[in-house]
Amino acid sequence: MNDDFVLDVERIRAQARQRMEAGARTPALKVDPEKVIALLNDVVATEIVCWTRYTRHAISAVGIDRAQVAAEFTEHAGQELQHALWAAERISQLGGNPDFDPGTLAQRAHTDYTAPAPKDLQQMLRDNLLAERIVIESYQEIVRWLGDRDPTTRRLLEKILEEEEEHADDILDLLDS
Ligand SMILES: [Fe+2]
Ligand SMILES: [Fe+2]
């Protein structure tokens, strides 16, 4: 523990006055913001693809009268959309532009859009579990790479990760039931 910590407010105040146009981007950011923006844009694409997959599966599951599964897919879909918006807002804070281009979403996403036969609930559950496991692994790697270089983005991804782990757990329960 370093007990000699003194907050150099004068230095911080002087730094803050320089490059005011950088907004939330300050010298405390120890990573190339463009690199973080690119990673976050892949997160935006991934979350949107997850939203489309869950939404499609929710509608198909309703068709086969499995209200419990459909309700779970609908809840997850809403959260994936929220994750996309959080990532997009962070991109904007970093001075970037969130990329919602539908033409490149599938290729930028870490996960796949799948549309199993409407009656194949087990396949839907397995597709979504696989997607969650890919998302968990890839976000964990981004979190480790960020470390303390951009704590705000790291915390955002950790918040999202917590929900992805719940999603995976929810689906596993439904697969078992
Ligand atoms: Fe998500
Ligand atoms: Fe998820």
Side-chain angles (χ1 to χ4, degrees):
M1 241 340 236
N2 182 2
D3 289 332
D4 304 330
F5 177 69
V6 178
L7 193 61
D8 187 352
V9 178
E10 279 312 309
R11 177 182 54 79
I12 293 171
R13 286 164 68 105
Q15 273 178 358
R17 280 194 197 88
Q18 295 164 9
R19 301 191 59 242
M20 294 278 278
E21 75 284 359
R25 285 161 68 158
T26 71
L29 200 66
K30 297 186 190 70
V31 66
D32 176 7
E34 296 309 321
K35 176 101 193 188
V36 180
I37 289 165
L39 283 166
L40 283 172
N41 260 324
D42 291 350
V43 170
V44 168
T46 301
E47 296 293 348
I48 292 174
V49 166
C50 288
W51 172 75
T52 61
R53 191 187 50 254
Y54 272 126
T55 302
R56 159 62 156 85
H57 295 192
I59 290 168
S60 299
V62 163
I64 45 182
D65 199 23
R66 277 298 300 268
Q68 187 200 6
V69 175
E72 201 70 51
F73 287 167
T74 301
E75 189 191 319
H76 290 192
Q79 285 170 330
E80 309 304 10
L81 192 55
Q82 179 67 70
H83 298 164
L85 295 177
W86 284 340
E89 278 160 15
R90 181 61 186 153
I91 288 168
S92 179
Q93 278 180 3
L94 289 167
N97 295 308
D99 186 354
F100 291 101
D101 182 354
T104 58
L105 278 181
Q107 134 205 358
R108 290 186 290 123
H110 303 155
T111 56
D112 295 325
Y113 172 80
T114 64
K119 285 198 162 58
D120 202 346
L121 261 191
Q122 290 298 311
Q123 191 60 47
M124 290 180 211
L125 289 166
R126 279 196 301 272
D127 286 356
N128 288 305
L129 181 57
L130 175 67
E132 294 292 351
R133 287 170 54 80
I134 291 167
V135 163
I136 290 165
E137 187 74 30
S138 64
Y139 292 3
Q140 275 175 351
E141 281 196 20
I142 300 173
V143 162
R144 274 194 293 271
W145 177 76
L146 281 169
D148 67 350
R149 295 188 284 186
D150 177 356
T152 309
T153 301
R154 192 197 64 224
R155 278 202 309 276
L156 172 66
L157 286 170
E158 284 169 344
K159 185 165 76 164
I160 295 175
L161 253 174
E162 222 177 282
E163 293 193 353
E164 310 300 11
E165 288 178 12
E166 277 174 26
H167 291 173
D169 204 44
D170 292 344
I171 295 173
L172 196 62
D173 287 346
L174 288 169
L175 264 172
D176 290 345
S177 64

